Amino acid sequence: MKILSGLNLNEIEEITDSLQASKFRARQIHNWIYLKSVKTIDEMTDLSVKFREELKQIATVTDTKIKVKQESSDGTLKYLLEFPDGECVETVLMRFDNRANLTACVSSQVGCAVNCSFCATGKRGFIRNLTCKEIIEQVLTIQRDTGLKVTNVVFMGQGEPLLNLDNVLKAMEIFNDNFQIGARRLTVSTSGIISGIEKLAEIDMQSTLAISLHAPNHEIRAKLMQIENKYPMTELKKALKKYIEKTNRRITIEYLLIKDLNDTIDSAKQLVEYLKDIKCNINLIPYNPTEKNDYQKPSGNSIMRFKSLLEQSGKKVTVRLERGADIDAACGQLKGKVE
Ligand code: SAH
Ligand code: SF4
């Protein structure tokens, strides 16, 4: 059986050619898959019944299963998806205030080798990279399930996208070309893989680069993220400055706030100093407790204090809204529970 979902126009033409149908049929199928998000071939109503029957003999829409679906009281949807080899990843759909904006948070790997101390995904270790098809299949599955069109994609699910960069870049190109999601509506989040950041500078990426910094200095960062020993903050900063110079884009700095560990006045001051010559916005993420460690959520007061100290430096600072907290929509949590 051929899987239509994830094929490009040329590949669909090979199928229509094999059925002696015109190239126009391939274009129609392509639209049904990427823009109208049908679940079955029968829904492709501008194809004749006879042609649909022929197509059904050799092809099907998808082979990805929704294993678990959870809906949060704030409308956030969280999916655990299963690929044919039995491996699962999470994908989250966030609806912001106006329903016109639908952001899919996709995974790039099964598990993750970076193993940050606060992250449930990291605890599993690295299982495998997702293929380009599996990355885009996450968005297609959401579109099929909800009947809605995804408008933004962030690579903030499981995995380290810059350690699966070729497939991530291919998927971004397809989001651009086939889903008509503009480069500016795509965000790649990384724990700071410098070799990957250099590559993104080289190709002059026009999407948003988000850096999971999470700490104001080497000591704290090394405690939270082993990757700090391989790619220390001083080197990271040089790579970021080069990236910004080359692409002329503003980056996003993500900073996980953990009670008494990196939410102090001193931490805020050091962070301001580190970021002073980096063109960036800052996104503060209040830590979302997982079961396997003893980090704690920061208090509301310390979040506000931290935010205003950063704002005094003239940077734009946002606090990530808790999305889907009641369904464990933070990185890696659902999967751990199901297993
Ligand atoms: N590997 C990439 C992208 C996936 S993680 C990266 O680390 O950037 C996406 C985001 O979720 C990261 O910023 C990560 O720090 C954050 N995250 C992981 N565990 C979390 C938790 N328990 N609470 C809040 N955010 C968490
Ligand atoms: Fe991997 Fe990102 Fe989790 Fe760190 S935070 S273990 S890089 S997925």
Side-chain angles (χ1 to χ4, degrees), residues 105-106 108 112 114 116 118-121 155-161 189-192 210-212 214 225 254 256 285-290 293 320 330-333:
C105 171
V106 301
S108 55
C112 181
V114 180
C116 302
F118 50 81
C119 173
T121 304
F155 284 84
M156 293 187 185
Q158 294 168 342
E160 170 46 61
S189 173
T190 177
S191 56
I211 302 294
S212 292
H214 301 336
M225 307 172 78
E254 296 170 282
L256 192 63
I285 313 170
Y287 173 68
N288 193 344
T290 62
N293 60 51
R320 186 177 295 174
C331 177
Q333 293 189 31

